[in-house]
Amino acid sequence: MTMDVSAPAPLPVSTIRPRSPRFDFDAVPRRWFARSVIGTHLANGLNLLFPAGERFFVRSVRRYLDRIEDPQLRENIKGFSGQEGLHAYAHERYFKALENQGYEIRRFLSFYEMFAYGIVEKIAPAQLCLAATAACEHFTATMAANALAREADGSMVAQDPTMRALFLWHAVEEIEHRSVAFDVLQQVNPSFELRVAGLAVATSMLFGLWMIAAGSLLVQDRARPERLARELRARREFRSRHGSTEFRTAILAYLRRDFHPSQDTTCDELARAYAAAAGLS
């Protein structure tokens, strides 16, 4: 009589690994994005959204951890949570630099967190929060791929080394975990209608809150109207040269019934290349 002494299957290991680089924001200039008032505040406004947004995403995904049977996806959820938690911490540390530059940000942050946590998270069904998270992750992966592509081809205009490193580190990890929330949504409820509803919520919330955040900073800057008009013309010219359809393309891709975030592999190559060059591997 022989016994089966084959070794047990190895435990799954997530390739989604949280990293914790250090950033010193003390020397970040007031207009760090190509010395542009508008560009800087669009980027700063996005920065204000990240910490509370990342925590919303993590809670929306981890709420369903006990329903996920696939051990690899469970490990990926843990890696996703770790990366998003460190993103929230790093971007929140930049808040102090903004305040030191004279910007009042706490009123917006209080409104934002009240809206996201006190209204949306409490009133919206949990599955809709998860669907909105999956759609937001698609948007952040789109922005990440765009940033990494511009870094690779030399057209990146964010020249401050600290902020450049912050956003590109974040971009690498957004690419790495871009499928996690979507995969959890497919396990919990693969309804196409729910996916579309989540996209509608994510689109309105992300871009609405982003513009409010950027606008609140822009008003405080008191830049001269002629400077703002000149910058708007320059932005239009830049976008006409380098393309400006990434969000429209992303929405159309997400609306395909056979969509999955892993289908675009070009961004994986960009993320691996930057991670290796920046010592993030």
Side-chain angles (χ1 to χ4, degrees), residues 136-243:
C136 281
E137 286 294 309
H138 179 53
F139 285 135
T140 54
T142 298
M143 288 187 280
N146 185 50
L148 290 166
R150 289 185 175 178
E151 173 70 10
D153 68 17
S155 63
M156 170 70 78
V157 295
Q159 295 301 321
D160 179 75
T162 300
M163 299 305 290
R164 187 186 189 114
L166 172 69
F167 278 94
L168 289 171
W169 155 70
H170 191 158
V172 167
E173 296 195 344
E174 287 298 322
I175 296 300
E176 290 175 345
H177 69 233
R178 69 187 185 279
S179 297
V180 175
F182 189 89
D183 287 342
V184 173
L185 178 63
Q186 293 303 101
Q187 292 272 325
V188 171
N189 186 343
S191 162
F192 179 73
E193 291 73 20
L194 176 61
R195 190 209 304 181
V196 172
L199 177 65
V201 171
T203 302
S204 58
M205 285 186 59
L206 173 61
F207 293 102
L209 290 166
W210 187 1
M211 292 305 103
I212 294 172
S216 71
L217 295 169
L218 191 59
V219 166
Q220 296 179 62
D221 205 286
R222 299 180 183 278
R224 295 177 65 86
E226 54 268 29
R227 173 169 185 160
L228 298 180
R230 186 170 64 249
E231 287 190 7
L232 284 172
R233 285 195 299 271
R235 286 184 64 80
R236 283 196 296 269
E237 292 171 4
F238 180 88
R239 292 175 75 84
S240 68
R241 291 197 305 271
H242 296 280

Side-chain angles (χ1 to χ4, degrees), residues 51-118:
E54 306 280 22
R55 292 169 183 134
F56 179 97
F57 300 161
V58 169
R59 288 201 293 268
S60 296
V61 169
R62 290 188 69 90
R63 184 178 288 120
Y64 293 100
L65 183 60
D66 62 349
R67 290 178 54 176
I68 303 300
E69 297 181 357
D70 178 0
Q72 184 61 68
L73 183 52
R74 290 178 63 87
E75 287 302 308
N76 288 345
I77 291 170
K78 294 173 185 176
F80 163 83
S81 301
Q83 286 187 338
E84 296 289 55
L86 288 169
H87 298 169
Y89 173 74
H91 285 279
E92 203 162 50
R93 286 188 55 239
Y94 179 57
F95 290 176
K96 185 63 177 175
L98 283 174
E99 290 178 315
N100 288 342
Q101 291 173 358
Y103 295 107
E104 203 296 306
I105 61 175
R106 297 295 162 181
R107 282 196 295 271
F108 169 77
L109 292 172
S110 296
F111 159 75
Y112 170 39
E113 293 182 12
M114 178 275 296
F115 179 73
Y117 298 159

